[in-house]
Amino acid sequence: MNFSFSTVLISEFFALILIVLLVVLTLKKSTYKNFGIDFLSTLSIIIFLRLVFPFEFINTITLADKIFLPYLHTHGNLRVNFVPGKPTLYSLNIKIWILGLFLALIYLVIKIIRVRTLCRKARKLPAGYLSSELKSSLPSNLELYYVPVDISPFTVGIFKPKIVLTDVDLTDEDKYFIIHHELLHVHSHDNLKKFLVEILVCFYWYYLPIYFYQFVVKHLIEISVDYKMIKGKSATFYLGYMNCIARVYSVVVEKRSRADSISSFFVFRNLSRKLNAKSLKIRIDFLCEEYPVKKIHWVVKFILIVIPLIITSIVVEPYYSKTKQTIYSFQFDPNDSATYVSRRGNRYFLIVNGKDAGELKNFLKIKDKNIRNLPIKDE
């Protein structure tokens, strides 16, 4: 398993294609009829795994790139003279990424602290907040909390989640729907899923598509819970649940839009509001369907199997580098039998661990002993 600039770049490229596909499909009503939530959720998992593991695996197929990557390699080693220490563009970008990661993690910690600060105000539900009929429909060991703020009810915590109700004017029916909705989030470990995506966003803070991916994941989590809520229920239940969602959304829409902003650093509030409104519309439309179609065609299943194989089995590497760049671009063991110089007519190629690392220009003039002492094989 190898890690390099090329493997990260190709992972981001494939992830971009899949994220665009995921966003387009998620925002289309027909997707939920023709494919189902399982398809979209599986696609989001594929994207997550590809970004978490941007590596070159054993079965990787290496494709030669003669233009783009050699260009990046050449210019990436240029030194930035106006920066103290005159670092290369590669090392400067790495330092900027580390700084961005540090700031993103700080921002995430601040958000966690803000939630914990809010939860310190939480207390057990006031007497009479829940009717006796509603209490009888809830698990006996369920602990509910209340904070006197006008935001949407929420679930906090990963390992010991708590359901927190808020100072939003709700009917008994609304309370029933909201509590059971949040219970499904707890049973599905949705807070853990959101937290993992938050961590991924911190590492890919510079990668704009990741923020749209984060939005889609949150949307799929909500619509998945919606489906579990209405599964096997009556039309009256459907209607009541839809009204509850719309009513709570309208009460806290401004704060919710601000809290669910797509980007931690790029605050596109208008876009966020539009996407949240679109998400709500899709959820309502989804609930209006009495028999949501979940079956996936065998062709789609085949694609779901092939896509992960493709995106983890291809990497593009530079076709060649200049001599000095070649010497300092590879680390290898001279005693490794799979590392040698391949002679093909009048041209020489460096083979590292059995893989072609590129052509050695002016091989006979190279003075580096690590290169010159490698065995030469005619191929």
Side-chain angles (χ1 to χ4, degrees):
M1 183 182 296
N2 296 320
F3 176 80
S4 67
F5 173 77
S6 298
T7 60
V8 173
L9 197 64
I10 201 67
S11 295
E12 291 176 352
F13 175 74
F14 278 115
L16 172 62
I17 296 174
L18 294 179
I19 289 172
V20 171
L21 177 63
L22 180 63
V23 171
V24 171
L25 291 178
T26 299
L27 297 179
K28 285 184 174 293
K29 178 181 175 181
S30 58
T31 302
Y32 302 93
K33 291 182 179 180
N34 300 327
F35 296 100
I37 303 173
D38 287 345
F39 172 79
L40 296 174
S41 298
T42 302
L43 192 56
S44 68
I45 293 172
I46 292 171
I47 296 170
F48 180 84
L49 293 176
R50 183 63 252 181
L51 291 174
V52 170
F53 300 105
F55 302 112
E56 176 183 352
F57 298 95
I58 297 176
N59 62 328
T60 297
I61 301 172
T62 302
L63 302 180
D65 176 20
K66 301 181 181 180
I67 301 175
F68 182 65
L69 288 178
Y71 176 84
L72 289 181
H73 181 78
T74 300
H75 289 77
N77 283 294
L78 296 177
R79 295 195 174 276
V80 185
N81 294 323
F82 59 86
V83 176
K86 298 181 180 180
T88 63
L89 281 174
Y90 275 143
S91 61
L92 181 61
N93 284 329
I94 291 174
K95 291 176 182 177
I96 293 174
W97 173 77
I98 292 174
L99 176 62
L101 172 62
F102 178 71
L103 294 175
L105 290 173
I106 288 178
Y107 185 80
L108 177 59
V109 171
I110 290 174
K111 289 198 294 184
I112 294 173
I113 292 174
R114 288 174 62 186
V115 173
R116 290 179 65 88
T117 301
L118 177 63
C119 289
R120 287 196 187 101
K121 301 177 182 178
R123 57 181 185 272
K124 293 291 183 67
L125 285 182
Y129 187 88
L130 299 179
S131 65
S132 57
E133 182 180 357
L134 178 55
K135 285 183 180 179
S136 64
S137 68
L138 300 175
S140 58
N141 60 343
L142 176 63
E143 291 187 358
L144 299 172
Y145 296 84
Y146 170 85
V147 288
V149 291
D150 57 343
I151 61 174
S152 176
F154 59 94
T155 300
V156 64
I158 296 176
F159 302 107
K160 294 182 179 180
K162 298 177 181 178
I163 297 175
V164 181
L165 302 178
T166 58
D167 195 21
V168 178
D169 188 18
L170 301 172
T171 65
D172 280 346
E173 185 181 44
D174 290 337
K175 294 172 184 176
Y176 172 88
F177 289 133
I178 288 172
I179 293 172
H180 282 82
H181 178 98
E182 296 301 329
L183 273 174
L184 287 172
H185 278 306
V186 173
H187 295 155
S188 301
H189 307 288
D190 289 335
N191 276 4
L192 176 60
K193 298 172 187 175
K194 292 178 182 179
F195 181 73
L196 291 176
V197 173
E198 288 274 10
I199 295 295
L200 186 67
V201 170
C202 289
F203 278 87
Y204 285 89
W205 60 267
Y206 60 90
Y207 185 58
L208 187 59
I210 197 70
Y211 300 105
F212 292 91
Y213 171 73
Q214 184 181 31
F215 165 79
V216 171
V217 168
K218 290 180 179 179
H219 169 78
L220 291 177
I221 286 174
E222 292 299 326
I223 207 167
S224 177
V225 168
D226 290 340
Y227 176 76
K228 294 173 183 177
M229 280 287 296
I230 65 173
K231 187 177 180 181
K233 298 297 192 300
S234 65
T236 303
F237 188 94
Y238 274 45
L239 183 60
Y241 183 63
M242 283 190 294
N243 288 336
C244 175
I245 291 176
R247 188 159 50 247
V248 173
Y249 179 85
S250 63
V251 171
V252 297
V253 61
E254 184 65 26
K255 291 182 179 293
R256 185 67 177 269
S257 178
R258 192 177 299 116
D260 290 343
S261 177
I262 292 177
S263 168
S264 299
F265 297 101
F266 307 90
V267 185
F268 301 137
R269 289 188 179 176
N270 289 333
L271 179 59
S272 177
R273 291 189 186 99
K274 290 179 180 178
L275 288 175
N276 282 327
K278 181 68 174 178
S279 174
L280 177 65
K281 184 179 183 302
I282 292 173
R283 290 174 65 187
I284 297 297
D285 289 341
F286 176 80
L287 291 170
C288 288
E289 297 294 330
E290 293 187 13
Y291 304 103
V293 179
K294 291 191 65 179
K295 291 184 178 180
I296 300 177
H297 195 274
W298 68 269
V299 174
V300 179
K301 292 181 180 178
F302 176 76
I303 293 174
L304 290 177
I305 296 173
V306 170
I307 286 179
L309 177 63
I310 292 176
I311 64 178
T312 58
S313 302
I314 297 178
V315 67
V316 182
E317 294 286 357
Y319 182 67
Y320 68 89
S321 303
K322 293 181 180 180
T323 303
K324 290 185 178 180
Q325 294 171 339
T326 302
I327 293 173
Y328 292 104
S329 298
F330 297 94
Q331 294 182 349
F332 55 86
D333 181 5
N335 299 319
D336 184 2
S337 60
T339 299
Y340 59 93
V341 174
S342 172
R343 180 164 53 196
R344 305 168 191 173
N346 295 325
R347 301 173 68 186
Y348 296 85
F349 296 82
L350 178 62
I351 308 299
V352 179
N353 296 326
K355 293 186 178 181
D356 191 341
E359 184 177 359
L360 294 170
K361 296 288 187 178
N362 301 318
F363 171 70
L364 299 178
K365 296 181 180 181
I366 294 177
K367 297 180 180 180
D368 192 303
K369 293 182 180 180
N370 290 325
I371 300 291
R372 295 293 298 172
N373 292 337
L374 288 174
I376 300 175
K377 298 182 182 180
D378 291 315
E379 295 182 346

